[in-house]
């Protein structure tokens, strides 16, 4: 009969003691210390040995018996079940030779490269675009609003409407009119899990394989991948300092939508002027195409009032407006919204229901409370001031530490800039990113956001996207100083 080894640690709390004894017995059955058929100590004896109550040991034995690991009967000692064998070391799972095939959608997704996404391990100083400072989050105000929503009496707990809580949609209707010049009815709003789900719904509802879509080049990679995953064909249109070059919009019958970031082009930062906005809407009308307006950081414009949304001048109902709270509050909140043309509202509600039924209700009600009370807009103004300080520190540090021909674009708005380094080539971006990371500074290449290679007659220099909303002023200065040292080393190595 195997000998039961007892642990040397003192007796913990009762619930923890039971778990410890259970794990001990299971482990010794697995490694053969208690072989098949071995007799276990009585509950009284084991309780005395371990310094715990007999009730705790009895509960463990009952659990093991219920799971089939030991056999018990009245008047007889408990024994390890006879059919048990020592557990072998886990074997690595091998890929099946004849695994069931993926769908066409699955195969497209499997081939996609997300090289612009951040590495798993954050750096000590991380210029990660899309990240915001946790200390900027209005934790106390949010906690009060969330607690009030939690304690609000409900007749029952059941699924909510797919379009979102009525209180948040009403609050958003007023906020969008004040802050973005956007006119809509609350019924046109569908609340979603962040702008990424909004984009995914647009792709699945509006595109078929073989359709074409217009996309800014460079542009938001995760959105492009959503559209490409449907089997639709990419029509990349270059951007310049004023955003999408509408003079180069394709005249293609199969085009179904255009995806744009007109208030602050991602990533280069251009603001689409009125003439181009009107040209884009005219093009959409001619081709019976939708325009998806991603207003991902519209609240953050420095030195002047935020630009009104493209949707505010849309007289034909062509624009689908996508908004998010990821930049103003937190990307971990996973709340965003769509403002839809009336004819698209029913199908998007149904698509949302099929996807995940609805966004979390308590968070929606807490956010509605913040908007209705004015607390959200006060928070946005504070966050804008803080991020303007960070932006100023970043621009000052670049001017101070980097060579004079380093060029920064996209500074008038948002939470990131693009830094062009003409003294390095596009091919140097991976080495630059790796060298900076080795010194504890995270920077991100701009090249993966381009849809294709640059023309041979006009090679791109190395470029980096620098997000600053999660960093302190001191971290920004230190990070740019380190980046300057890294670029100097790459320049010296290239000579």
């Amino acid at each position: 009969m195997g000998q039961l080894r007892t642990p040397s640690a003192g007796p913990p709390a009762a619930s923890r003691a039971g778990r410890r004894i259970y794990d001990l017995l299971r482990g010794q059955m697995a490694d053969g210390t208690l072989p098949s058929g071995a007799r276990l100590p009585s509950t009284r004896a084991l309780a005395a040995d371990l310094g715990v109550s007999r009730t705790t040991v009895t509960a463990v034995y009952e659990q093991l018996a219920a799971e089939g690991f030991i056999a018990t009967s009245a008047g007889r000692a408990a024994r390890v079940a006879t059919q048990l064998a020592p557990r072998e070391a886990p074997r690595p799972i091998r890929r099946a030779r004849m695994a069931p095939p993926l769908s066409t959608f699955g195969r497209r997704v499997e081939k996609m490269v997300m090289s612009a996404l951040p590495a798993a391990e954050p750096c000590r100083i991380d210029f990660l675009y899309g990240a915001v400072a946790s200390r900027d989050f209005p934790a106390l105000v949010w906690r009060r609003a969330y607690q009030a929503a939690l304690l609000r009496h409900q007749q029952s707990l059941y699924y909510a409407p797919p379009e979102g809580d009525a209180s948040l949609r009403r609050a958003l209707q007023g906020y969008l009119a004040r802050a973005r010049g956007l006119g809509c009815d609350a019924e046109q709003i569908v609340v979603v899990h962040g702008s990424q789900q909004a984009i995914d719904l647009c792709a699945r509802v509006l595109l078929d394989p073989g359709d074409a879509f217009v996309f800014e080049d460079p542009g938001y990679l995760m959105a492009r991948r959503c559209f490409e995953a449907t089997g639709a064909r990419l029509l990349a249109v270059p951007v310049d300092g004023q955003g999408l070059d509408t003079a180069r919009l394709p005249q293609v019958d199969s085009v179904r939508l255009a995806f744009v970031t007109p208030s602050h082009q991602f990533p280069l930062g251009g603001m689409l002027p009125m003439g181009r906005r009107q040209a884009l809407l005219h093009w959409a009308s001619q081709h019976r195409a939708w325009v998806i307006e991603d207003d991902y950081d519209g609240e953050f414009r420095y030195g002047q009032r935020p630009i009104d949304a493209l949707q505010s001048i849309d007289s034909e109902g062509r624009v689908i407006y996508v908004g998010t709270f990821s930049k103003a509050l937190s990307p971990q909140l996973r709340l965003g919204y769509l403002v839809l043309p009336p004819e698209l509202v029913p199908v998007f509600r149904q698509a949302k229901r099929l996807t995940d039924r609805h966004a979390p209700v308590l968070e929606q009600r807490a956010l509605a409370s913040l908007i209705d009370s004015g607390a959200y807009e006060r928070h946005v103004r504070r966050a804008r001031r803080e991020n303007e300080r960070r932006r100023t520190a970043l621009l000052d540090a670049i001017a101070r530490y980097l060579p004079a021909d380093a060029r920064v674009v996209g500074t008038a708005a948002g939470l990131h800039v693009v830094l062009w380094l003409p003294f390095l080539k596009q091919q140097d971006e991976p080495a630059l990113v790796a060298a900076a990371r080795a010194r504890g500074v995270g920077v991100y290449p701009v090249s993966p956001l381009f849809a294709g290679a640059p023309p041979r007659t006009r090679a791109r220099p190395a470029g980096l996207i620098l997000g600053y909303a999660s960093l302190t002023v001191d971290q920004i200065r230190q990070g740019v100083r380190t980046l300057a040292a890294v670029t100097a080393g790459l320049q010296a190595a290239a000579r």
Side-chain angles (χ1 to χ4, degrees):
M1 181 178 74
Q3 298 297 312
L4 180 65
R5 301 191 301 265
T6 59
S8 58
S15 59
R16 290 179 57 200
R19 183 75 232 185
R20 190 163 61 100
I21 296 167
Y22 175 90
D23 290 341
L24 171 73
L25 295 174
R26 283 289 311 274
Q28 294 191 5
M29 292 176 200
D31 66 17
T33 303
L34 287 173
S36 177
R39 184 174 181 269
L40 297 178
S42 68
T43 56
R44 188 188 304 277
L46 186 56
D49 287 345
L50 299 178
V52 299
S53 71
R54 186 181 179 189
T55 303
T56 298
V57 178
T58 300
V60 171
Y61 277 27
E62 289 173 351
Q63 181 67 32
L64 290 168
E67 294 174 356
F69 290 105
I70 66 174
T72 60
S73 59
R76 294 187 178 183
R79 292 183 179 273
V80 178
T82 56
Q83 70 270 28
L84 289 184
R87 183 171 55 189
E88 296 180 359
R91 297 177 180 178
I93 298 175
R94 296 180 180 177
R95 185 167 182 169
R97 293 182 181 177
M98 298 295 292
L102 295 172
S103 68
T104 304
F105 173 86
R107 292 195 296 274
R108 291 193 198 105
V109 172
E110 187 179 39
K111 293 176 183 177
M112 288 180 176
V113 177
M114 296 293 185
S115 55
L117 298 183
E121 291 298 323
C123 289
R124 178 174 50 87
I125 298 174
D126 209 334
F127 288 95
L128 177 61
Y129 58 96
V132 297
S134 59
R135 58 190 170 278
D136 287 355
F137 185 79
L140 295 178
V141 176
W142 179 264
R143 185 176 67 181
R144 285 195 296 269
Y146 188 89
Q147 187 172 22
L150 181 65
L151 296 177
R152 174 180 166 185
H153 175 70
Q154 300 183 67
Q155 285 293 107
S156 63
L157 300 178
Y158 190 63
Y159 300 108
E163 63 268 24
D165 194 76
S167 65
L168 179 56
R169 291 186 290 113
R170 286 193 299 267
L172 278 171
Q173 179 188 15
Y175 171 73
L176 290 172
R178 293 190 302 273
R180 308 297 295 122
L182 194 152
C184 69
D185 189 86
E187 293 301 303
Q188 293 174 249
I189 298 173
V190 173
V191 180
V192 293
H193 277 99
S195 60
Q196 190 63 37
Q197 186 179 58
I199 294 165
D200 180 63
L201 287 173
C202 289
R204 291 190 287 121
V205 170
L206 303 177
L207 290 174
D208 279 324
D211 288 343
F213 66 95
V214 163
F215 201 82
E216 298 169 329
D217 191 25
Y220 178 42
L221 181 63
M222 292 280 281
R224 171 154 54 96
R225 294 304 193 210
C226 270
F227 300 136
E228 289 174 331
T230 67
R233 181 165 56 96
L234 167 68
L235 300 175
V237 175
V239 303
D240 57 23
Q242 295 185 319
L244 184 78
D245 185 354
T246 52
R248 301 176 70 172
L249 283 167
Q251 306 302 317
V252 178
D253 291 339
S254 61
V255 68
R256 294 291 175 264
L257 64 84
F259 178 87
V260 293
T261 52
S263 295
H264 184 228
Q265 197 278 326
F266 183 84
L268 299 185
M271 191 267 292
L272 200 67
M274 182 57 69
R276 289 191 180 185
R277 292 178 181 229
Q278 292 171 338
L280 175 61
L281 292 177
H282 179 69
W283 172 88
S285 177
Q286 281 187 318
H287 292 272
R288 299 181 61 209
W290 302 104
V291 176
I292 301 174
E293 176 182 12
D294 184 4
D295 195 18
Y296 66 100
D297 62 1
E299 294 93 345
F300 295 97
R301 191 161 191 88
Y302 307 113
Q304 55 185 289
R305 181 184 178 277
I307 303 297
D308 283 350
L310 174 66
Q311 193 268 4
S312 67
I313 64 167
D314 175 25
S315 60
E316 293 190 15
R318 294 283 172 190
V319 176
I320 300 168
Y321 179 88
V322 175
T324 181
F325 295 99
S326 294
K327 306 301 184 294
L329 286 173
S330 167
Q332 296 181 358
L333 191 59
R334 304 314 305 138
L335 279 180
Y337 53 92
L338 288 150
V339 180
L340 297 160
E343 64 266 35
L344 289 180
V345 169
V347 66
F348 270 79
R349 287 183 178 183
Q350 284 295 85
K352 171 64 177 171
R353 190 196 304 273
L354 291 174
T355 300
D356 59 3
R357 288 200 179 252
H358 58 78
V361 174
L362 294 180
E363 284 83 351
Q364 291 185 66
R365 291 176 178 170
L367 182 52
S369 173
L370 263 62
I371 296 174
D372 287 339
S373 69
Y376 176 73
E377 286 166 86
R378 288 193 295 273
H379 163 71
V380 168
R381 289 193 291 271
R382 283 194 299 270
R384 190 185 297 131
R385 288 193 298 269
E386 285 300 308
N387 284 307
E388 189 166 13
R389 287 179 57 248
R390 295 176 178 120
R391 181 198 66 148
T392 300
L394 177 60
L395 298 180
D396 289 347
I398 290 172
R400 180 176 180 181
Y401 297 116
L402 284 165
D405 52 349
R407 185 166 59 92
V408 186
V409 297
T411 62
L415 305 176
H416 75 274
V417 300
V418 169
L419 173 65
W420 292 112
L421 303 170
F423 45 86
L424 295 175
K425 299 177 181 178
Q426 176 194 339
Q427 297 90 322
D428 295 325
E429 285 180 1
L432 175 58
V433 170
R437 191 169 191 83
R439 299 183 63 165
V441 175
V443 293
Y444 300 89
V446 74
S447 289
L449 303 184
F450 283 85
R456 292 185 179 181
T457 57
R458 186 170 48 87
R460 284 195 303 267
L464 299 174
I465 310 172
L466 302 179
Y468 52 81
S470 65
L471 300 173
T472 66
V473 167
D474 287 342
Q475 286 177 318
I476 290 169
R477 290 171 181 153
Q478 185 180 348
V480 173
R481 193 161 53 237
T482 302
L483 179 61
V486 169
T487 58
L490 288 177
Q491 279 185 281
R495 292 193 185 105

